[in-house]
Amino acid sequence: MNKQVNESEDFGAISKLNKWAEASPKEYRSAVRQEEWTDMSVHACHGYVQANLAIVPKDYAFEFLLFSNRNPRPFPVLDVTEPGDPHPKLVAPEADLRTDLPKYRVFQDGTLIDEPTDISSYWRDNLVAFVIGCSLSFDWALLAANLHYRMFGDYTTNIQCVAAGRFYGPMVVSSRAFRTARDAVRAIQISSRHLGVHGPPVHIGDPAIIGIKDLNEADVWIPPGPWPLTPLQPNETIAFWSTGAGLPVIAKACKVPFMITHCPGHMFVTDKLSEELAVL
Amino acid sequence: MNKQVNESEDFGAISKLNKWAEASPKEYRSAVRQEEWTDMSVHACHGYVQANLAIVPKDYAFEFLLFSNRNPRPFPVLDVTEPGDPHPKLVAPEADLRTDLPKYRVFQDGTLIDEPTDISSYWRDNLVAFVIGCSLSFDWALLAANLHYRMFGDYTTNIQCVAAGRFYGPMVVSSRAFRTARDAVRAIQISSRHLGVHGPPVHIGDPAIIGIKDLNEADVWIPPGPWPLTPLQPNETIAFWSTGAGLPVIAKACKVPFMITHCPGHMFVTDKLSEELAVL
């Protein structure tokens, strides 16, 4: 028997609660830069592309770019900065990647050494930043199509990314449980248009097939929302998308001497509208 | 008044004449490797992805990959080999990029120094090969949809690629003149699914807008077919797609100390079906 899922768990209902939902990317980034906002970026700046972040020394840049190319679902590259330049010229030329994300993770030899809200003190002339599309960018399109779904969390899977040089590691996925199978099918269609922000799901249905043992045990990220969520119901269809929340997992696995990522949930907001980057 | 366009000029009619049309990629590459075939790859291996080629020294690999990333229409990367390894593991692991293209172009400091049918003698341990999707891969899909069109040629345009490091240069386009506007619209839809082989056109209509002065003066490549073609007719709609035939143009412009490309029209045939790589 289906247990009633509370309407307040719906992603659309939650998105309306965010104080930054109607802000422009510039307003939002300014608040982040001044540390007025250090919380999650989820639901900020309605309609705009959010992005994950990876920063590596120049010596690792080719291999990381190749790793992204070989794994376009988890790591679709939107912009790559010149060495030492913190400004992403293609997607937000006025932004500064050292200050404009609410929270970062700094790794040394695969060990998390800091989780700062500003990385200016870590910046060096040889660092190259990769701005990588985030699937929260197509939630606007899903909600615009009146789809109803709940987000459970981000999980490490048993799918391995294709290695490139010194980069390898497991794929991490985000989850969306749709109220109906019809909504899940529509979400596959819509997200397929948004290839720059992960595109279509990598799996639908039984989480165990991709190595997720318990939906209540999200090991990479737990989204904001009313917890605990009602367990997945038989009438719901769950789908899993690759996510850049896997970047800290890669940094940890590969033991790169120095690497900075965003903190899951705390993304960069670009000046690009999701529709602007959609492939068709 | 419209002049009658000869049916024999139709791309579909021409494609049936090629002796390799029904060959498998393996059969075709074997013939090329043994130099039984050194002519164009156009129309070979029905349904399979054809690819352009760029080979640069390791020291230039990051900048070239970044150049490709910043210019996904002309240079969609399908595979990147490890330094010194001539086998494209993702798209045709048994193939050898030194011997399996009908014709190459070798550049030194931007000067064409050779146009060999085999580059084994030029191969070095520090070379990285980039396999780049070619739009001839989606002609199968256009023909399967019963579209009627003629291919005029490949032209240098006044559109500049986005530079990356030492790589820059003009965009080169291929051309397809459709018998009806309806066919042109359908071709835009179909090619949009094939992002890995240039995707949708970069221009439709007046060639002068992108700097093409005379359709009879294709400066980069002239396709096989009955020449001269009937001039473009008022009822036809012409569309222009980015093409990897621009790689020799880039090699020349950038004066890279050493770079090898395919010779326009003489592409690599992968083991991947066009439908296998289509994005939706």
Side-chain angles (χ1 to χ4, degrees):
Chain A
M1 199 193 299
N2 292 342
K3 195 175 161 188
Q4 188 62 44
V5 173
N6 196 318
E7 290 278 341
S8 70
E9 296 181 20
D10 211 80
F11 199 74
I14 298 167
S15 78
K16 296 198 180 88
L17 303 176
N18 187 286
K19 69 179 275 197
W20 298 103
E22 300 307 322
S24 74
K26 204 172 170 177
E27 286 165 346
Y28 173 74
R29 291 194 306 255
S30 170
V32 170
R33 194 178 300 184
Q34 290 159 51
E35 308 217 342
E36 284 165 28
W37 183 259
T38 57
D39 205 342
M40 295 200 204
S41 64
V42 185
H43 309 300
C45 306
H46 190 114
Y48 285 90
V49 170
Q50 299 211 0
N52 305 295
L53 179 71
I55 298 174
V56 298
K58 174 86 172 68
D59 177 41
Y60 284 77
F62 172 58
E63 290 171 26
F64 186 80
L65 186 56
L66 190 53
F67 184 63
S68 310
N69 263 258
R70 289 182 178 166
N71 299 280
R73 287 287 175 275
F75 310 120
V77 174
L78 301 180
D79 203 347
V80 181
T81 61
E82 300 301 321
D85 182 358
H87 307 290
K89 291 208 176 65
L90 298 181
V91 296
E94 289 173 18
D96 189 324
L97 293 170
R98 299 171 297 188
T99 54
D100 293 2
L101 280 79
K103 204 179 284 179
Y104 303 80
R105 285 191 178 165
V106 182
F107 293 87
Q108 207 163 42
D109 302 315
T111 302
L112 179 67
I113 59 163
D114 198 2
E115 207 170 83
T117 55
D118 182 314
I119 54 162
S120 298
S121 66
Y122 289 103
W123 193 253
R124 306 179 206 158
D125 276 354
N126 72 336
L127 294 178
V128 177
F130 296 79
V131 178
I132 292 168
C134 169
S135 65
L136 284 162
S137 314
F138 64 62
D139 282 293
W140 313 120
L142 302 185
L143 296 175
N146 202 24
L147 305 191
H148 292 279
Y149 57 100
R150 305 184 290 145
M151 201 173 262
F152 273 77
D154 291 1
Y155 310 84
T156 305
T157 71
N158 59 13
I159 306 167
Q160 288 299 309
C161 293
V162 182
R166 292 163 283 189
F167 291 95
Y168 59 91
M171 191 182 284
V172 171
V173 293
S174 64
S175 57
R176 288 168 182 81
F178 295 89
R179 198 182 288 179
T180 64
R182 181 255 170 215
D183 276 10
V185 170
R186 191 80 188 99
I188 293 171
Q189 295 174 322
I190 292 171
S191 60
S192 294
R193 299 179 57 240
H194 295 276
L195 278 187
V197 293
H198 303 307
V202 290
H203 182 62
I204 51 170
D206 187 1
I209 290 173
I210 56 171
I212 300 171
K213 284 178 191 141
D214 185 347
L215 284 176
N216 293 317
E217 299 284 334
D219 62 327
V220 177
W221 181 62
I222 296 169
W227 292 95
L229 292 181
T230 307
L232 189 69
Q233 298 300 300
N235 61 308
E236 291 183 302
T237 298
I238 193 161
F240 299 93
W241 277 261
S242 286
T243 168
L247 286 166
V249 176
I250 297 297
K252 212 168 163 180
C254 301
K255 300 184 174 56
V256 179
F258 188 74
M259 183 163 171
I260 300 173
T261 72
H262 70 294
C263 177
H266 299 69
M267 273 74 74
F268 178 67
V269 180
T270 73
D271 288 340
K272 298 289 181 185
L273 288 160
S274 294
E275 277 302 318
E276 205 175 336
L277 296 190
V279 295
L280 66 154
Chain B
M1 199 191 300
N2 292 343
K3 195 176 160 187
Q4 186 64 42
V5 173
N6 196 318
E7 290 279 340
S8 70
E9 295 181 20
D10 211 80
F11 199 75
I14 299 167
S15 78
K16 294 197 182 89
L17 303 176
N18 188 284
K19 68 179 277 197
W20 298 104
E22 298 307 321
S24 74
K26 205 172 169 174
E27 286 165 348
Y28 173 75
R29 290 195 306 255
S30 170
V32 170
R33 193 178 302 185
Q34 290 159 50
E35 308 215 343
E36 285 165 28
W37 183 259
T38 57
D39 205 342
M40 294 199 204
S41 64
V42 186
H43 309 299
C45 305
H46 189 113
Y48 284 90
V49 169
Q50 299 210 1
N52 306 294
L53 180 70
I55 298 174
V56 298
K58 172 85 171 71
D59 177 41
Y60 285 77
F62 173 57
E63 289 171 25
F64 186 80
L65 185 57
L66 190 55
F67 184 62
S68 311
N69 264 258
R70 289 182 179 167
N71 299 280
R73 288 287 176 274
F75 310 121
V77 174
L78 301 179
D79 204 348
V80 182
T81 62
E82 299 301 321
D85 182 357
H87 307 291
K89 289 208 177 66
L90 298 181
V91 296
E94 291 173 17
D96 189 325
L97 293 170
R98 297 170 298 189
T99 55
D100 293 2
L101 280 78
K103 204 178 283 178
Y104 303 80
R105 286 191 177 164
V106 182
F107 293 87
Q108 209 163 41
D109 301 315
T111 304
L112 179 68
I113 60 164
D114 198 3
E115 206 170 83
T117 57
D118 181 316
I119 54 162
S120 299
S121 65
Y122 288 104
W123 194 253
R124 306 180 205 157
D125 276 353
N126 73 335
L127 294 178
V128 177
F130 295 81
V131 178
I132 291 167
C134 168
S135 66
L136 284 162
S137 314
F138 65 62
D139 282 293
W140 314 120
L142 302 186
L143 296 176
N146 203 24
L147 305 191
H148 292 279
Y149 58 100
R150 306 184 292 145
M151 200 174 262
F152 272 77
D154 292 0
Y155 309 83
T156 304
T157 70
N158 59 13
I159 305 167
Q160 288 300 310
C161 294
V162 182
R166 291 162 285 189
F167 291 95
Y168 58 91
M171 192 182 284
V172 172
V173 293
S174 64
S175 58
R176 289 170 182 79
F178 295 89
R179 199 181 287 179
T180 64
R182 181 256 169 213
D183 276 11
V185 170
R186 191 82 189 98
I188 293 171
Q189 294 174 323
I190 292 171
S191 60
S192 295
R193 299 180 56 240
H194 296 276
L195 277 188
V197 293
H198 302 307
V202 290
H203 182 62
I204 51 172
D206 186 2
I209 290 173
I210 56 170
I212 301 172
K213 284 180 191 140
D214 184 349
L215 283 176
N216 294 317
E217 299 283 334
D219 62 327
V220 178
W221 181 62
I222 297 169
W227 291 95
L229 292 180
T230 308
L232 188 69
Q233 297 300 301
N235 61 309
E236 290 183 303
T237 299
I238 193 161
F240 299 92
W241 277 263
S242 285
T243 167
L247 287 166
V249 176
I250 297 296
K252 213 169 163 180
C254 301
K255 301 185 174 56
V256 179
F258 187 74
M259 184 165 171
I260 301 174
T261 72
H262 70 294
C263 177
H266 300 69
M267 273 72 74
F268 177 66
V269 181
T270 74
D271 288 340
K272 298 289 181 186
L273 288 161
S274 293
E275 276 302 319
E276 206 175 337
L277 296 191
V279 296
L280 66 154

